[in-house]
Amino acid sequence: MIIGAHNIISPLGFTSEANFEKVIRGEGGIAMQTGTDLSDTDFPASVINESELEVHLAEFLELKAYTKLEQLSILSLKQIIAGVDVTSPKTGFILSTTKGNIDLLKADNLNPNALLATTAQKIADYFGFASTPHVISNACISGLVAFIVAKRFIQSGIYDNVVILGVDVLSKFIVSGFQSFHSLSSETCKPFDANRDGLSLGEGAASVIIHGKQKTENTPYVELVNGAIANDANHISGPSRTGEGLFRAIKQTLRDGDKVDVISAHGTATPYNDDMESEAISRAGFSVVPVSGLKGYFGHTLGAAGIIESIISIMALERNVIIGTKGLKQQGVVAPIKVVKENEYAPTKGLLKLMSGFGGCNAAVYFKKHE
Amino acid sequence: MVAMPLFTSKNMSRVIKELSIQSETVILDGKIIFSSEEKELGGFLKDLYKHTGINYGKFFKMDYLSKLGFLSSELLLKDVEEIKPETDEVALIFANTSSSLNTDIKYQKSMEDIPSPAVFVYTLPNIVIGEISIRNKFYGEHIFLVQAKYDKNILLKYADSLFETTATKYALVGWLELSPTENYNVQLMLCAKK
């Protein structure tokens, strides 16, 4: 499987390139939110500015009637969809989201637009997809699961190409939930840091085309090699101390000879997650492999996170750079791993992307650069 | 105990048990094994829990979707001796149309007072997968898909792809629907790799 065109929409920009440029310069999107729409108390988060979004919507008057989540989704897909035969039943579409249009419950408990499949169909219909869209809702690993499912669908012969889209926006529903768990940091999150005290939430939309056919011409490309999903079988809201599920996901993803040059971690900056992740990475034998965490730039973008972070990590792979972990000052996790603080320039080919989430779910995907 | 296959998909899996729960009635492999007078979902789930004869404290903390999926898994896995706990070999492949909306609405109401973390954690449809995994020590592949209507075919094809490319040897596959208005419909299969 080949990684095709991609797009990221976040507070850092409306294209993958714009996002990558900011990340490489060390700029992040997390800022103090002082309004009352999302929370009664101020909290730091990476939120897409409404007036910035208006500018991008200006030429698409028909999108006025859509929700913010749908607008971001459509704007993201618009940037990659050229050249995709959406009228072919062999083109698949997967939406990854945790809460979709959950904000609509505020006014109406039974609003049909709060149904995730309705949202997916609305987005699919805008572009005229012939195939029925699939929705993946597996908590925080959803975006990475979209890559894995796309690969399996193509392998099974169901589709030739699959468009994956990850999106989530913030609402009082989501923010109050994380606040009730005391999992939000009072400052910008500090992944893998000794003083980390919680995550920062973020919004975003990101999309990628996964092509089934191997490239024949002599151009460089990034391959989606393999992926796996595994459960901790331990606790519904706390990660396993031994990193059981993540360790198993890594083991099942990698085949003999798969060389890992860089790991793009989940790194939420909650005390438990980052410890668990260090344990799993260390158990898998990757204590000396550079680990990079991107939540300091984007916050935790929930259903979009696996796709946003994979795109940035793939772009870094293509440019032989390992991105510094924004927010990390002094590493402090239980197991020995090598988290990268500042950007490092080194030839890299094999990328391992990790995600974990509520329900004890864990996912790993291995990407490989071919030059 | 292994029943005759009731349905054969492509060529990788055979269905060894089928379970349906609708309108206060539980049907296993075509036979009614339990029915209740209890029209209210909470009461029905309590009755069904008693019927299974299990003693599992965590059950009482679960939301309705998790209780429904958990009890379904107990009924399907009962007396299947070849499935042992502590395994990567059992996959959980679920879908529904209402996601976790039944609990989302309860959480939305709780926000007016003090938002409850114990309710918030269940505002994700895949938590039921976590509950079944914890109970059985299943470490394997799992996924929750949200569909406009039950697409059994795609779920069986996904199970086939797991049988073909992963350690998966068994899979609980199917529909686990609970609407915001407490309409429920379970159509689950226990499949084995051929």
Side-chain angles (χ1 to χ4, degrees):
Chain A
M1 316 285 143
I2 310 265
I3 300 299
H6 50 73
N7 166 266
I8 300 173
I9 295 179
S10 85
L12 298 184
F14 278 64
T15 63
S16 295
E17 288 70 24
N19 276 273
F20 189 82
E21 282 308 310
K22 289 266 176 76
V23 167
I24 213 74
R25 288 205 301 265
E27 293 174 33
I30 300 169
M32 196 55 83
Q33 305 298 315
T34 54
T36 54
D37 287 352
L38 298 175
S39 169
D40 297 334
T41 52
D42 295 356
F43 74 110
S46 178
V47 177
I48 294 167
N49 186 297
E50 297 280 349
S51 52
E52 176 78 15
L53 178 57
E54 287 299 319
V55 173
H56 286 87
L57 288 170
E59 54 180 308
F60 308 113
L61 288 175
E62 75 278 12
L63 291 180
K64 279 257 183 265
Y66 289 74
T67 65
K68 182 181 182 183
L69 177 118
E70 293 156 1
Q71 289 169 340
L72 293 171
S73 300
I74 291 168
L75 286 177
S76 180
L77 287 177
K78 269 179 184 288
Q79 300 217 16
I80 66 160
I81 211 86
V84 177
D85 183 7
V86 293
T87 63
S88 165
K90 298 291 267 182
T91 301
F93 171 41
I94 297 176
L95 170 66
S96 152
T97 184
T98 63
K99 296 314 303 168
N101 285 319
I102 196 69
D103 206 32
L104 297 175
L105 289 191
K106 237 174 13 193
D108 174 9
N109 265 347
L110 300 175
N111 190 325
N113 288 312
L115 291 169
L116 301 181
T118 306
T119 306
Q121 192 62 56
K122 208 167 158 191
I123 297 164
D125 287 346
Y126 181 88
F127 295 98
F129 276 95
S131 65
T132 305
H134 304 277
V135 180
I136 291 169
S137 196
N138 279 47
C140 302
I141 72 168
S142 301
L144 209 49
V145 171
F147 282 96
I148 297 170
V149 173
K151 177 176 184 286
R152 288 174 177 160
F153 280 167
I154 293 171
Q155 244 171 355
S156 305
I158 301 169
Y159 302 116
D160 296 333
N161 305 290
V162 177
V163 178
I164 61 171
L165 166 74
V167 63
D168 261 308
V169 294
L170 295 182
S171 56
K172 229 172 197 165
F173 187 103
I174 290 172
V175 175
S176 68
F178 280 93
Q179 284 169 335
S180 77
F181 262 102
H182 302 289
S183 33
L184 297 188
S185 175
S186 55
E187 300 163 23
T188 300
C189 67
K190 302 178 274 290
F192 300 103
D193 192 87
N195 294 314
R196 70 187 181 279
D197 61 353
L199 56 84
S200 302
L201 289 167
E203 325 188 287
S207 49
V208 182
I209 305 170
I210 316 285
H211 298 288
K213 291 233 168 62
Q214 299 297 320
K215 271 198 180 168
T216 45
E217 69 266 38
N218 242 352
T219 49
Y221 65 94
V222 172
E223 180 190 2
L224 164 56
V225 182
N226 199 23
I229 301 159
N231 204 283
D232 285 336
N234 176 62
H235 197 277
I236 52 167
S237 60
S240 152
R241 290 177 86 86
T242 57
E244 197 56 46
L246 187 58
F247 170 73
R248 287 177 191 239
I250 295 170
K251 281 289 173 200
Q252 283 148 17
T253 293
L254 298 172
R255 308 278 160 88
D256 285 349
D258 286 342
K259 193 170 171 296
V260 177
D261 298 311
V262 59
I263 295 173
S264 175
H266 186 40
T268 59
T270 63
Y272 289 121
N273 175 81
D274 295 4
D275 272 351
M276 177 282 288
E277 224 175 346
S278 74
E279 198 66 61
I281 291 168
S282 175
R283 275 180 74 188
F286 296 129
S287 285
V288 295
V289 174
V291 173
S292 169
L294 297 171
K295 297 285 192 297
Y297 302 93
F298 298 99
H300 190 343
T301 53
L302 308 172
I307 301 185
I308 291 179
E309 294 172 17
S310 291
I311 293 172
I312 294 291
S313 302
I314 285 166
M315 293 175 82
L317 196 68
E318 289 168 335
R319 290 158 180 78
N320 289 314
V321 55
I322 298 166
I323 295 166
T325 303
K326 189 175 169 64
L328 170 64
K329 286 200 179 90
Q330 180 67 49
Q331 185 178 317
V333 282
V334 285
I337 57 166
K338 189 181 146 193
V339 188
V340 172
K341 245 187 268 185
E342 306 286 339
N343 295 344
E344 287 178 10
Y345 291 83
T348 48
K349 276 189 177 170
L351 160 70
L352 183 65
K353 176 76 195 109
L354 309 176
M355 302 293 281
S356 300
F358 275 177
C361 54
N362 302 270
V365 170
Y366 180 65
F367 298 98
K368 191 176 174 185
K369 180 175 70 177
H370 296 265
E371 287 164 307
Chain B
M1 189 207 81
V2 178
M4 289 293 287
L6 299 169
F7 173 88
T8 308
S9 76
K10 208 168 81 182
N11 50 19
M12 288 300 291
S13 62
R14 64 193 165 88
V15 176
I16 51 179
K17 278 192 189 182
E18 266 188 306
L19 178 83
S20 149
I21 307 179
Q22 271 187 103
S23 323
E24 303 92 44
T25 305
V26 182
I27 299 172
L28 187 65
D29 294 338
K31 286 189 204 101
I32 296 179
I33 58 158
F34 176 78
S35 64
S36 161
E37 297 291 297
E38 188 62 73
K39 298 276 178 222
E40 195 262 325
L41 178 60
F44 171 70
L45 290 167
K46 205 182 277 176
D47 283 357
L48 184 56
Y49 173 81
K50 280 187 204 144
H51 167 81
T52 60
I54 57 169
N55 182 10
Y56 188 65
K58 283 196 177 86
F59 175 80
F60 300 97
K61 291 182 183 167
M62 295 178 196
D63 75 337
Y64 284 165
L65 182 66
S66 289
K67 281 181 173 166
L68 197 59
F70 173 82
L71 292 173
S72 302
S73 71
E74 289 291 310
L75 292 167
L76 279 166
L77 293 167
K78 192 170 185 271
D79 301 328
V80 183
E81 279 165 14
E82 61 263 45
I83 297 181
K84 306 266 188 278
E86 299 269 345
T87 182
D88 295 315
E89 294 179 352
V90 182
L92 304 173
I93 304 166
F94 296 149
N96 76 6
T97 199
S98 297
S99 181
S100 54
L101 275 170
N102 183 273
T103 295
D104 293 355
I105 290 168
K106 290 171 189 161
Y107 179 74
Q108 178 78 32
K109 280 189 192 127
S110 89
M111 284 166 59
E112 292 158 14
D113 192 14
I114 298 165
S116 159
V119 179
F120 182 68
V121 68
Y122 287 101
T123 63
L124 292 163
N126 64 300
I127 300 300
V128 58
I129 291 172
E131 296 286 12
I132 297 169
S133 299
I134 292 166
R135 165 72 169 171
N136 298 284
K137 288 277 165 205
F138 288 163
Y139 298 108
E141 280 283 341
H142 53 89
I143 191 164
F144 206 110
L145 294 164
V146 179
Q147 303 177 330
K149 57 180 193 300
Y150 182 24
D151 184 350
K152 179 170 159 179
N153 193 32
I154 198 85
L155 300 183
L156 286 169
K157 278 188 181 167
Y158 189 74
D160 274 345
S161 79
L162 295 184
F163 288 139
E164 211 163 348
T165 62
T166 72
T168 308
K169 286 187 180 159
Y170 300 92
L172 286 179
V173 186
W175 192 242
L176 190 59
E177 166 65 5
L178 173 61
S179 80
T181 53
E182 299 196 353
N183 282 313
Y184 53 92
N185 180 8
V186 177
Q187 304 295 333
L188 282 179
M189 297 165 279
L190 173 62
C191 300
K193 183 179 179 173
K194 266 203 212 169

